[in-house]
Amino acid sequence: MGIATINPATGETIQTFQGLGDGAIARAIDTAQQSFEQYRRTSLAQRATWLHAAANLLVEEKDIFAKTMTVEMGKPITAAVVEVEKCAAVCRYYADHAEQFLAPVTIETDASHSYVMYQPLGVILAVMPWNFPFWQVFRFAAPALMAGNVGLLKHASNVPQSALAIADIFQRAGFPEGAFETLLVGADKVAQIIADPRVKAATLTGSESAGASLAAAAGTQIKKTVLELGGSDPFIVLESADLETAVATAVTARMLNNGQSCIAAKRFIVQESIADAFTQKLVEKYAALKIGDPLLPEVHIGPLATPAILQEVHQQVQSCLAAGGKVLIGGDPDAVPTRADPALSRGNFYPPTIVANLPHDAAIAREEIFGPVATLFRVADLDAAIALANDTTFGLGSSAWTQIPAERDRLVAEIEAGSVFINGMVKSDPRLPFGGIKRSGYGRELGSQGILEFVNVKTVWVK
Ligand code: NAP
């Protein structure tokens, strides 16, 4: 696949782009490096002013940016607007807090004065996915720019207009030329960009295979990486849970972004005593979801981002059936009502689907399904719930529902994941660190931790 905007709701190719050649890539890296030499000397106050200006542009033009995203990757337009607003919020958060996070820290030693200071590393490469085309980039860029680094964005090949719009925002906000650039390149150029000595580190959000490949390339160059990879987050509902709220949240947590979120709840683990009631309510709510043109505000579920994802999700549901699973609702892309609409008949629509009865040890039960498909498991008690939740190679987020403090404390302590949300759905928040363990990756974004990933933690000792 080349670099192109192809509307996933209609199949229409809107615009294609020529990827940059080696000469243009080298020039862009050069511009970034030259920019860094100046930019690193700018004050935090100046950077904050530019970042607030970027936030203002995002808010003023949110409807335009939201439409760009929806047309490129199919997320419902209302969610796209919220995403742009969240980007403005992360810009303001780091503009207002970076000085505090980056302040030198005095440490008493045998020196007359010893302290730790934080300095920028230089040009940072960001390899980003299409599922949150603005948010993924801004949550990297805001802290990186405040810390004095400059950014090079290699965005997913199906969201080039989002990628160009983001670089344009930073430029119009007043950041110097080269402080944040978009490189329209395919994945095949990533290793050579990392190998360039002027590029000092890289972050990748995406699949395990892309993360492993980037980390390997960076490893041979002894360069730091942050990896935000896949997840198969558990959503545990125990007997004491507030069932109505848990079910309503379960729908949002699985369906957000047409089911294509790394922190979507993917495996629903429900205590046997309430499993029938939970299942019945969940099926009812799935049946009520409106699937269709994501540009319409009343639509809950748009198309999957590409035909390949549609095919993969369908194959995974077929694997669930082959392993003994039972489809309670959905499961048939040909039965989606959009098939009958001439304008949408070529869209990548997949129906909201629930699969039950899957053997806990089936291979497919441990895979990430990147679409609107929930797998439902029954467990006898808390011990079984925790064991099943942890029986995955991933460790990104987790959500658990209980009113019993002792159960809550065990879930918090024993779930193997980068986050545990009790009686709420997993979400990213500029104030809280975000990231995973196991094959979900390493490093953290957001919070005070996120801004310290791409800095030199310099020890200073003076006598
Ligand atoms: P993907 O194929 O890995 O693509 C992500 C980015 O990596 C794109 O820019 C892609 O470029 C690039 N890429 C692909 N292969 C590469 C390689 N071998 N070397 C270097 N770069 C490469 O991911 P996806 O399937 O589109 O996205 C879905 C995955 O991302 C899911 O697993 C999801 O859970 C994960 N995700 C994780 C987080 C998180 O924060 N943990 C957030 C969102 C998504 P091209 O588009 O040019 O191929």
Side-chain angles (χ1 to χ4, degrees):
M1 189 189 77
I3 301 170
T5 298
I6 301 171
N7 186 338
T10 62
E12 183 194 356
T13 299
I14 307 226
Q15 198 175 351
T16 56
F17 296 81
Q18 189 65 42
L20 297 183
D22 292 349
I25 293 171
R27 281 193 296 282
I29 297 173
D30 198 47
T31 304
Q33 175 60 30
Q34 285 183 30
S35 181
F36 174 65
E37 300 300 342
Q38 306 300 320
Y39 184 70
R40 66 181 306 173
R41 287 176 236 287
T42 56
S43 67
L44 278 159
Q46 175 63 77
R47 295 173 202 160
T49 303
W50 289 326
L51 210 49
H52 274 297
N56 292 342
L57 286 171
L58 284 160
V59 172
E60 284 158 20
E61 299 172 30
K62 64 183 175 187
D63 293 330
I64 299 169
F65 300 137
K67 191 171 176 197
T68 301
M69 284 193 275
T70 296
V71 168
E72 290 202 301
M73 51 65 68
K75 73 174 62 216
I77 191 74
T78 44
V81 173
V82 171
E83 179 171 338
V84 181
E85 288 167 347
K86 195 167 168 183
C87 293
V90 80
C91 288
R92 295 199 199 288
Y93 176 74
Y94 279 108
D96 294 342
H97 292 87
E99 189 158 6
Q100 170 199 339
F101 298 151
L102 298 170
V105 180
T106 297
I107 295 166
E108 298 295 332
T109 66
D110 55 335
S112 36
H113 185 205
S114 49
Y115 59 100
V116 171
M117 67 185 293
Y118 303 109
Q119 292 185 312
L121 293 183
V123 181
I124 313 294
L125 172 68
V127 181
M128 291 290 150
W130 47 265
N131 63 342
F132 293 93
F134 270 56
W135 170 243
Q136 303 288 2
V137 177
F138 276 91
R139 78 180 185 188
F140 153 72
L145 288 167
M146 280 310 296
N149 295 299
V150 302
L152 278 181
L153 170 65
K154 179 269 176 278
H155 217 324
S157 292
N158 57 333
V159 290
Q161 298 196 37
S162 298
L164 293 170
I166 292 167
D168 186 56
I169 289 167
F170 286 119
Q171 205 173 11
R172 285 193 284 143
F175 282 95
E177 190 198 350
F180 189 92
E181 290 183 88
T182 279
L183 300 177
L184 287 185
V185 293
D188 58 324
K189 298 288 185 192
V190 168
Q192 98 186 39
I193 296 169
I194 292 173
D196 190 297
R198 293 165 294 189
V199 176
K200 295 297 187 290
T203 181
L204 181 141
T205 300
S207 60
E208 288 172 271
S209 62
S213 150
L214 173 120
T220 61
Q221 306 293 329
I222 326 285
K223 290 182 185 174
K224 165 138 189 198
T225 52
V226 166
L227 299 181
E228 299 282 4
L229 309 180
S232 186
D233 286 7
F235 188 103
I236 300 170
V237 188
L238 298 172
E239 196 173 67
S240 67
D242 169 352
L243 205 56
E244 290 300 331
T245 314
V247 174
T249 309
V251 178
T252 314
R254 175 64 280 206
M255 291 300 153
L256 188 76
N257 214 30
N258 308 333
Q260 303 159 122
S261 168
C262 54
I263 48 167
K266 293 180 182 132
R267 297 176 297 137
F268 293 83
I269 299 171
V270 187
Q271 194 158 8
E272 185 67 57
S273 51
I274 52 160
D276 285 341
F278 180 88
T279 305
Q280 190 194 338
K281 287 175 195 291
L282 194 68
V283 172
E284 279 167 17
K285 288 203 184 296
Y286 266 46
L289 292 170
K290 186 167 168 48
I291 184 163
D293 181 351
L295 285 169
L296 299 176
E298 67 271 23
V299 161
H300 303 113
I301 312 275
L304 298 175
T306 65
I309 296 163
L310 173 64
Q311 206 179 359
E312 183 171 358
V313 167
H314 189 49
Q315 263 169 14
Q316 286 178 302
V317 172
Q318 296 303 308
S319 301
C320 288
L321 295 178
K326 185 175 166 217
V327 167
L328 302 184
I329 185 170
D332 181 3
D334 293 328
V336 176
T338 52
R339 283 273 171 271
D341 179 341
L344 304 176
S345 62
R346 287 167 55 222
N348 314 318
F349 292 94
Y350 196 84
T353 299
I354 301 173
V355 178
N357 291 16
L358 206 51
H360 294 187
D361 58 354
I364 185 68
R366 296 193 175 90
E367 278 182 26
E368 177 182 39
I369 304 183
F370 219 55
V373 179
T375 50
L376 212 54
F377 301 91
R378 291 167 180 249
V379 288
D381 53 23
L382 178 66
D383 286 331
I386 292 173
L388 184 55
N390 289 339
D391 189 11
T392 167
T393 54
F394 294 112
L396 194 53
S398 60
S399 171
W401 296 71
T402 176
Q403 311 275 7
I404 300 173
E407 287 187 343
R408 178 197 63 208
D409 293 347
R410 278 200 56 203
L411 289 156
V412 167
E414 294 178 34
I415 288 188
E416 298 165 359
S419 64
V420 182
F421 283 67
I422 301 293
N423 300 329
M425 71 178 251
V426 182
K427 58 184 181 211
S428 57
D429 178 324
R431 297 164 294 186
L432 294 170
F434 182 96
I437 57 169
K438 296 158 79 175
R439 291 183 73 87
S440 292
Y442 50 75
R444 290 291 178 267
E445 295 189 287
L446 302 177
S448 60
Q449 292 79 2
I451 199 169
L452 298 180
E453 288 287 359
F454 296 119
V455 293
N456 173 18
V457 181
K458 188 183 263 182
T459 296
V460 183
W461 190 99
V462 181
K463 193 135 196 170

